[in-house]
Amino acid sequence: MIKTTLKFGLIALSAGFLASCGPQKTEEVTEDLSIVEDVKTPTLTLLWETAETLTTNESVLFDAATGTIYVANIEGDPVGKDGKGSISIIGKDGSIVNQNWITGLNAPKGMGIANGKLYVTDIDELVEIDIATAKITNKYKVEGAQFLNDTDTYDGKVYFTDMNTGKVHMLDAGVVSTISEGNESINGIAVASDGTIYGLDASGLKMWNADGTTTILNSAVTGGDGLVILGEGNFVASRWQGEIWFATAEGETLMLDTKAAESNTADIGYNAADQVVYVPTFFKNKVAAYKLDY
């Protein structure tokens, strides 16, 4: 939450005469009143929803460089190699620009962009797509992978998680390596502008330190799916079941709860310039856009 603190001072003047005919003296006394805090509660306001044609959409990625919004659709079994998965493109007004931009994937989930390529996790491999030609140019098998999930990029490198094995992997110059293990049910991952890695797992919102250890920033928002770094210690985290949280190291605010409507909130995307959160609703087969105010 954002807090604005106003401090007021009260100056009281008291006067008295030492003698009936003596000189008048004025004594100045300063007293601090209580600190008054103006607290703004973070909110999400619905802007639009797409048509219900994005079958089992799991992830949304906003490309700030082009304004393109990519949507990963599982369409079949989340762990099945059935070739039913796809990537769609939608507009910033909720229109379906290209339903079948990329087809023939299995169960695509997290996405990230680096060096003109869109990288997508697909069960046990990382798929590389050339954006200019809309062609799959490479598939990187990940040894021992079981359920590759969220993705982010930084400085040409691709970072991605495996929820089942608790590992964080990195693709660098065509080579896949494991950079972290023991992260129970890790899903959401995001890399800040300074290269600091943040993630969501069973322990909550965590940060990786320079020596490879991790620090838990928020232990309340556990089992998160999508993660957005807002800056200045502020984050937005989604839970697949139907919750979106505003989280900091000091606390958390539930901004959206769609569990009663059985509408999921999977791997969210974010348009920082317009402060819009894009929510893949999974079984509802549509993306919903919300204005963030905090």
Side-chain angles (χ1 to χ4, degrees):
M1 292 181 287
I2 305 301
K3 296 183 178 180
T4 303
T5 303
L6 303 177
K7 191 172 184 180
F8 298 91
L10 175 66
I11 300 176
L13 298 178
S14 61
F17 291 97
L18 295 178
S20 59
C21 58
Q24 185 180 30
K25 291 185 178 181
T26 301
E27 180 181 358
E28 183 177 282
V29 179
T30 301
E31 178 184 355
D32 286 336
L33 291 181
S34 300
I35 293 175
V36 178
E37 293 184 343
D38 181 18
V39 180
K40 186 173 185 178
T41 301
T43 60
L44 288 174
T45 303
L46 181 65
L47 298 175
W48 49 255
E49 295 178 330
T50 67
E52 298 176 15
T53 60
L54 304 169
T55 309
T56 326
N57 57 102
E58 197 280 338
S59 179
V60 179
L61 175 67
F62 175 75
D63 182 4
T66 64
T68 305
I69 305 174
Y70 299 96
V71 183
N73 310 294
I74 295 175
E75 299 197 27
D77 184 344
V79 293
K81 296 188 177 183
D82 49 24
K84 295 180 179 179
S86 66
I87 306 295
S88 301
I89 293 177
I90 64 175
K92 290 197 287 184
D93 59 354
S95 60
I96 305 296
V97 176
N98 191 337
Q99 176 79 42
N100 299 306
W101 182 65
I102 296 291
T103 59
L105 300 175
N106 294 310
K109 299 179 181 71
M111 297 177 286
I113 294 174
N115 306 316
K117 305 291 194 300
L118 178 71
Y119 291 90
V120 188
T121 55
D122 198 4
I123 304 177
D124 59 357
E125 61 187 7
L126 184 69
V127 178
E128 178 187 274
I129 301 167
D130 182 72
I131 294 175
T133 63
K135 301 292 184 182
I136 295 174
T137 50
N138 214 330
K139 294 183 178 182
Y140 299 92
K141 290 289 293 185
V142 181
E143 184 178 356
Q146 296 178 20
F147 199 90
L148 299 181
N149 212 323
D150 200 17
T151 308
D152 201 6
T153 61
Y154 176 77
D155 195 26
K157 302 176 181 65
V158 184
Y159 299 85
F160 54 106
T161 62
D162 189 324
M163 192 168 70
N164 283 12
T165 65
K167 295 179 180 179
V168 177
H169 300 289
M170 178 181 70
L171 174 70
D172 183 14
V175 178
V176 175
S177 62
T178 301
I179 63 170
S180 181
E181 299 186 49
N183 307 286
E184 183 184 354
S185 300
I186 187 164
N187 191 342
I189 190 169
V191 187
S193 58
D194 63 356
T196 302
I197 302 171
Y198 297 87
L200 297 168
D201 69 2
S203 64
L205 169 62
K206 64 198 303 184
M207 175 185 71
W208 271 260
N209 304 309
D211 61 0
T213 61
T214 60
T215 299
I216 304 300
L217 301 180
N218 185 299
S219 60
V221 184
T222 57
D225 197 321
L227 179 62
V228 172
I229 301 171
L230 298 175
E232 298 183 342
N234 300 315
F235 301 83
V236 176
S238 64
R239 279 176 170 158
W240 182 86
Q241 293 86 347
E243 297 175 356
I244 298 183
W245 295 79
F246 184 93
T248 71
E250 288 73 41
E252 60 286 328
T253 299
L254 179 61
M255 297 187 292
L256 184 70
D257 187 344
T258 56
K259 295 192 298 297
E262 297 182 347
S263 184
N264 301 112
T265 49
D267 185 11
I268 54 178
Y270 185 58
N271 176 345
D274 297 333
Q275 289 189 197
V276 177
V277 178
Y278 303 106
V279 181
T281 63
F282 212 75
F283 292 125
K284 292 296 184 182
N285 302 323
K286 60 186 176 182
V287 170
Y290 292 85
K291 176 70 175 181
L292 171 65
D293 187 22
Y294 70 98

